[in-house]
Amino acid sequence: MEKKTLFDKIWDAHVIKKVEGGPNVLYIDRHYIHEVTSPVAFSGLKNRGLKVFRPSQTTAAPDHNVPTLHQGRPITDVQSKTQVEQLEKNCKESGITHYGLGTEEHGIIHIIGPQLGLTQPGMTIVCGDSHTSTHGALGSIAFGIGTSEVEMVLASQCIMQAKPKKMRISIDGNLSNGVTAKDVVLYVIAQISTSGGTGHFVEFAGSTIRQMSMDGRMTVCNMSIECGARGGMIAPDETTFEYIKGRKFAPKGEDWNKSVAKWKTLHTDEDAEFDKEYHFKAEDIEPMITFGTNPGMGVGISQDIPMGDNLQGSDKTSFIKALDYMNFKPGEKMEGKKIDYVFLGSCTNGRIEDFIMFAKMIEGKKKAENVTVWLVPGSKGVEKQIKAEGLDKIFEEAGIPLREPGCSACLAMNDDKIPAGKYSVSTSNRNFQGRQGPGSRTLLASPLTAAAAAITGVVTDPRKLL
Amino acid sequence: MSYDKFSKIISPAVPLPLENVDTDQIIPARYLKAIERKGFGENLFHDWRYDKNNKPVKDFVLNNKKYSGKILVGGKNFGSGSSREHAAWALYDYGFRVVVSSFFADIFKGNSLNNGLLPVVVSPEFLQKIFDKIEKNPETKFEVDIEKQKFTILSTGESTTFEINNYKKHCLENGLDDIDYLINMKKSIEQFENK
Ligand code: SF4
């Protein structure tokens, strides 16, 4: 029998047709939408005189634009308000489930999908957002699409896609204390660069990944896109089943047993071939921090900013431009650099485990005077867990109020903008110029490193505070 | 059908010799708030094009009268970052029909092809040649022949071929998009669902 990878198994089972000299017509099981990339798709659909084909397979939540304070009050930014209202209206008209502001399910769509049990192994999942890759952590093929494709899915529950190449990234061994899933993925991106995965779909494998919790696996798959890959995925196992069991939309009763039996076949066959393979050792990974303006420009926190001597031509120009923007110099130490903001949240690190890590480190301490800290849960569900475990008390004692869920400073479409020239240690996924607000300077890091920076006010190796 | 049919293009080109031009630079997130696919060209490369006081930055290529045309020539890894299709719309809306680079980010490439914007991949050497030609003479004309899949520097006749899959080529040439194709497949889709 043909040896197949996990990716092949799911992809091939969803191909309706292979277009001569063109892409595959791929069936989509689950479609997530939010307020920014969907309105144009709905208006396109309307212009063509079409209706949503399978409304029950689409789920919506506003997340990019929403305020993270006083969510009960009307949104003040007119355009944001329009988009949020338009989403609700479109959903109502088409019969799509919409978890709006104020509902107990509300949150960042990539957080609530898994949390509600909507994301399941073996599914094809798309959303007009690149970090859809998050859902791959549960053993699904999940990837970001453009608005035209959102329109396609609304119109036909299908998209047209060429089958990507396959890559496996294996990480083996035990992570040392203070090193988290976020550091693993930042390390991988720094090693293979932001274009290393282009054209590929990545399967993450190896003992380090197997030992990770679901929350950690989601962090890894979330950022798989930052190495240029179409998405990342992890074969489902007991950790996955345990996570899904009992969630709102998880299969129940006899269905559950049937589903698990099916899910257990979802793994890469021995000897199946990948177009590319990488192997990394967990022991080589230390807490990571970025110094530049793409997620691949990261170093171990005890290391210096590279000199860039080996770079040439436009690589060199980009490197210099990035450091210039950050106001850093080649060879400088990252540790000890003064920072102004800390952001814990986003679909990368806005889950309960991230808040537990942050809380453990900051417990009994105060945040540094010079630092503003934004703690933004990924969903109402996460917020509820935070309160149930009393973490909000720990934060309050440290001088940090908890905010309400949304994408927040991850892309700064709402009011949560880092001011120009200021430094933010952020648990989000992108450090592009101006990503967190015009002129903002972002240092990507783990929740532990973010907590350490919140306490000391400077870039700090979290291992020193453990 | 949401864009014009793509035919042969002869035009000077606008050079942007930077690498990793990400979609946040092509169209900053704060300009994504529209609910219709119109007017994004105004904010194309906004933060490079305008300064803090919204005054045009003189030496940015789009503000430099020397440069014009329907072709944008960018450095390696053009269109990286966020999957926002607005980047392709903004380039199209501004008037570009072709983007040339030695390497494109995947999603950006797909989005462009879906919106009447042709991404042309050339070798790094050829890319350099194009940049050199524009630098010497900004009025240098280029020809993009989608039918023959050929990109030519008209002043010297130097040319290179580029890849595009047959399906996308057919769509671009006819101004059709994937949705036109998919809605004609409804039967097969329903059959698949009932399997
Ligand atoms: S949290 Fe950031 S990366 Fe995630 S969906 Fe929101 S904006 Fe996108």
Side-chain angles (χ1 to χ4, degrees), chain A residues 311-349:
Chain A
L311 300 173
Q312 280 169 353
S314 50
D315 282 332
K316 181 111 198 178
T317 323
S318 306
F319 177 78
I320 293 170
K321 202 169 167 252
L323 287 192
D324 208 45
Y325 181 84
M326 297 300 289
N327 199 19
F328 290 160
K329 299 212 169 42
E332 276 182 346
K333 268 204 147 345
M334 282 308 289
E335 262 190 284
K337 285 211 173 291
K338 198 172 151 282
I339 59 130
D340 310 287
Y341 284 78
V342 167
F343 171 54
L344 176 67
S346 86
C347 58
T348 312
N349 283 125

Side-chain angles (χ1 to χ4, degrees), chain B residues 2-190:
Chain B
S2 51
Y3 54 87
D4 302 337
K5 290 185 188 184
F6 196 104
S7 49
K8 196 187 274 183
I9 282 175
I10 297 177
S11 161
V14 178
L16 192 65
L18 290 173
E19 289 193 355
N20 304 316
V21 171
D22 60 71
T23 51
D24 277 84
Q25 307 313 321
I26 298 175
I27 179 103
R30 54 188 193 283
Y31 298 112
L32 309 187
K33 293 187 179 177
I35 53 173
E36 276 195 84
R37 189 185 299 214
K38 275 191 280 199
F40 288 102
E42 265 172 53
N43 294 314
L44 177 67
F45 294 117
H46 186 281
D47 294 353
W48 286 344
R49 211 162 135 196
Y50 302 103
D51 67 13
K52 282 190 204 89
N53 308 315
N54 253 334
K55 291 244 166 57
V57 175
K58 263 217 202 98
D59 51 2
F60 185 63
V61 284
L62 296 191
N63 298 326
N64 190 332
K65 289 227 169 65
K66 270 203 315 208
Y67 304 115
S68 65
K70 296 181 176 179
I71 304 169
L72 180 70
V73 189
K76 190 173 76 182
N77 203 18
F78 190 91
S80 56
S82 151
S83 66
R84 66 185 64 143
E85 196 163 338
H86 308 70
W89 299 342
L91 288 161
Y92 185 92
D93 191 57
Y94 183 84
F96 290 117
R97 293 296 174 267
V98 179
V99 192
V100 184
S101 172
S102 57
F103 193 95
F104 288 99
D106 275 345
I107 302 188
F108 174 78
K109 199 161 150 190
N111 285 341
S112 300
L113 285 166
N114 246 332
N115 288 283
L117 182 70
L118 176 67
V120 170
V121 182
V122 301
S123 68
E125 296 73 36
F126 201 86
L127 187 70
Q128 196 50 51
K129 209 175 268 175
I130 301 174
F131 281 133
D132 292 346
K133 284 281 180 304
I134 306 176
E135 194 176 308
K136 267 200 212 109
N137 177 9
E139 278 159 36
T140 307
K141 285 213 169 94
F142 303 91
E143 180 185 274
V144 185
D145 186 335
I146 184 166
E147 221 245 286
K148 297 205 179 98
Q149 299 179 215
K150 208 163 120 189
F151 184 95
T152 312
I153 306 173
L154 285 179
S155 56
T156 61
E158 286 164 285
S159 73
T160 182
T161 53
F162 56 86
E163 292 284 320
I164 175 172
N165 77 47
N166 280 335
Y167 168 75
K168 281 293 173 198
K169 185 169 163 180
H170 170 84
C171 286
L172 274 177
E173 287 179 321
N174 294 289
L176 291 175
D177 67 12
D178 292 345
I179 298 178
D180 299 315
Y181 187 94
L182 287 172
I183 47 186
N184 285 324
M185 270 193 62
K186 233 167 220 166
K187 274 240 164 65
S188 323
I189 298 171
E190 279 165 359

Side-chain angles (χ1 to χ4, degrees), chain A residues 120-121 236-238 240-242 244-245 251 253-266:
Chain A
Q120 294 168 17
D237 59 8
E238 288 305 325
T240 322
F241 310 147
E242 205 39 53
I244 298 172
K245 199 171 184 180
E254 197 33 43
D255 273 356
W256 171 256
N257 297 332
K258 272 197 210 141
S259 300
V260 172
K262 211 167 93 202
W263 294 343
K264 283 188 172 161
T265 65
L266 298 174

Side-chain angles (χ1 to χ4, degrees), chain A residues 182-254:
Chain A
K182 180 65 165 291
D183 302 303
V184 171
V185 71
L186 282 174
Y187 176 83
V188 168
I189 303 164
Q191 294 294 316
I192 73 172
S193 92
T194 50
S195 58
T198 305
H200 293 77
F201 211 96
V202 177
E203 178 180 345
F204 290 97
S207 61
T208 314
I209 300 285
R210 295 256 78 87
Q211 286 163 32
M212 274 182 197
S213 67
M214 273 326 294
D215 282 7
R217 293 179 189 186
M218 284 191 250
T219 302
V220 171
C221 288
N222 173 278
M223 285 199 74
S224 58
I225 178 87
E226 305 305 338
C227 65
R230 284 299 272 125
M233 66 196 306
I234 294 171
D237 59 8
E238 288 305 325
T239 307
T240 322
F241 310 147
E242 205 39 53
Y243 176 91
I244 298 172
K245 199 171 184 180
R247 293 187 185 264
K248 188 166 174 179
F249 293 101
K252 307 261 152 52
E254 197 33 43

Side-chain angles (χ1 to χ4, degrees), chain A residues 63-64 108-110 129 131 222 346-348 406-407 410-411 428-429 435:
Chain A
D63 51 12
H64 281 59
I108 302 171
I109 193 80
H110 305 316
D129 185 281
H131 294 91
N222 173 278
S346 86
C347 58
T348 312
C407 293
C410 176
L411 92 168
S428 55
N429 42 57
R435 169 81 177 184

Side-chain angles (χ1 to χ4, degrees), chain A residues 344-365:
Chain A
L344 176 67
S346 86
C347 58
T348 312
N349 283 125
R351 285 170 287 270
I352 186 62
E353 197 177 279
D354 304 311
F355 284 82
I356 293 174
M357 277 193 261
F358 195 99
K360 277 204 178 132
M361 182 156 277
I362 209 155
E363 184 161 20
K365 304 195 176 73

Side-chain angles (χ1 to χ4, degrees), chain A residues 434-448:
Chain A
R435 169 81 177 184
Q436 297 196 287
S440 61
R441 294 166 169 154
T442 304
L443 313 175
L444 299 177
S446 77
L448 283 181

